[in-house]
Amino acid sequence: ADETGLRVEGKRQWLHVLCNERLTHYGAHAKRGVEAMDEIGILPEFSGRLIHDYWAPYFRYTNCQHGLCNVHHLRDLIFVHEELGKSWAKQMHTCLLDMKRAVDAAKALGQTRLSGGTLNALLRRYTQIVETAYAEEPLPESPPEKKRGRPKKGKSYRLIERFDQRRNLVLAFLFDFKVPFGNNQGEQDIRMVKTQQKISGTFRSWAGAKQFCRIRSYISTARKQGLKAIEALSGALNGQPFMPSAA
């Protein structure tokens, strides 16, 4: 799952994409969060594994399992290391990539899981980096008594907490080879819409935006399933639309 800005009638709205390697659904909506996702109607019924970028509204859906996009994590770690000077971030960046390489190598050999020794070694390394990160960046001090609220946490500390408290979601790809390392599929499917926005600038009406999303959902899905766009569109116009399969 992913979402991005979409201009409709000259104002910023939102495009939501839900996809996998076989199917694509685009939805245009004025909202970014749960209201839009509920109205689109897919996530309330979804019971598989949802890969996303830690956008909080996704966690409102509890009928499915979750997984976090490590491509986003790698970008965040580069920022924390290069801009904030945190050495633990470089170590975690390397660790995640080594985990990905180990999984890719095992898949190439036809394996469905890592060996116990390899998995335990990687998990110990991950835990040590989290502990090092906490030591390098302790919890911010509490605000003065006159000020209310919790201590303000910076981007680096929040990222450490995510790697610690959400490690099962960060490392879902390590335990289940069906889980992708990141959300590249969602970003790839959104790229086409970003290109369209650069060319046209805006949709003149909501009707046009929704028609565009419906047509592009159909074309993207057809292409993923080996059908040429012109063939899929010709079939639809002739009353024989392409009917995709989920598997």
Side-chain angles (χ1 to χ4, degrees):
D2 207 350
E3 71 287 329
T4 190
L6 186 76
R7 295 195 68 79
V8 181
E9 297 177 345
K11 298 179 181 179
R12 177 169 177 157
Q13 313 294 347
W14 293 94
L15 176 90
H16 295 260
V17 62
L18 292 163
C19 60
N20 58 23
E21 69 280 358
R22 300 281 293 171
L23 307 167
T24 306
H25 181 274
Y26 297 108
H29 201 279
K31 302 291 185 179
R32 185 185 181 191
V34 173
E35 181 181 340
M37 297 172 191
D38 282 348
E39 187 172 318
I40 289 170
I42 296 175
L43 290 184
E45 304 297 329
F46 181 64
S47 59
R49 171 87 69 169
L50 183 65
I51 308 298
H52 54 83
D53 59 359
Y54 205 64
W55 174 235
Y58 290 124
F59 288 107
R60 294 283 296 274
Y61 299 98
T62 57
N63 290 331
C64 63
Q65 294 178 293
H66 292 262
L68 298 180
C69 173
N70 284 298
V71 175
H72 280 81
H73 288 151
L74 293 179
R75 295 172 190 155
D76 290 340
L77 289 167
I78 290 172
F79 173 84
V80 170
H81 171 61
E82 295 184 352
E83 301 298 327
L84 304 182
K86 305 298 181 181
S87 61
W88 70 266
K90 184 176 182 180
Q91 297 174 39
M92 184 61 80
H93 186 279
T94 303
C95 180
L96 289 176
L97 288 179
D98 286 347
M99 288 176 165
K100 182 180 185 300
R101 279 189 282 268
V103 170
D104 290 343
K107 287 180 179 179
L109 294 174
Q111 299 172 0
T112 58
R113 63 176 64 88
L114 294 176
S115 67
T118 300
L119 178 61
N120 290 334
L122 289 170
L123 292 176
R124 283 196 300 269
R125 180 178 167 191
Y126 181 94
T127 299
Q128 290 170 357
I129 295 172
V130 171
E131 292 173 352
T132 298
Y134 276 128
E136 185 175 346
E137 186 162 349
L139 182 67
E141 296 182 0
S142 299
E145 293 183 2
K146 294 182 180 180
K147 294 185 178 180
R148 298 181 179 179
R150 298 178 180 179
K152 185 177 181 179
K153 302 174 183 177
K155 182 180 182 67
S156 178
Y157 195 90
R158 293 196 304 271
L159 193 58
I160 297 170
E161 285 190 320
R162 186 186 309 173
F163 286 134
D164 181 19
Q165 298 169 9
R166 300 280 192 172
R167 66 179 62 198
N168 287 341
L169 304 186
V170 174
L171 301 180
F173 76 98
L174 195 65
F175 298 101
D176 183 353
F177 282 9
K178 295 189 297 293
V179 177
F181 178 78
N183 195 21
N184 280 340
Q185 185 69 64
E187 293 191 348
Q188 289 172 6
D189 287 338
I190 270 183
R191 194 170 299 142
M192 177 281 307
V193 180
K194 301 300 288 186
T195 300
Q196 185 276 340
Q197 290 283 278
K198 290 179 181 178
I199 296 171
S200 70
T202 185
F203 289 101
R204 296 184 180 181
S205 69
W206 271 107
K210 292 183 177 180
Q211 289 168 0
F212 174 86
C213 288
R214 181 176 296 181
I215 294 169
R216 292 304 313 193
S217 298
Y218 178 70
I219 292 174
S220 176
T221 298
R223 284 175 170 169
K224 287 180 178 181
Q225 303 206 13
L227 194 66
K228 294 181 180 179
I230 188 63
E231 295 174 354
L233 291 171
S234 296
L237 293 172
N238 290 324
Q240 296 179 327
F242 162 70
M243 298 302 293
S245 61

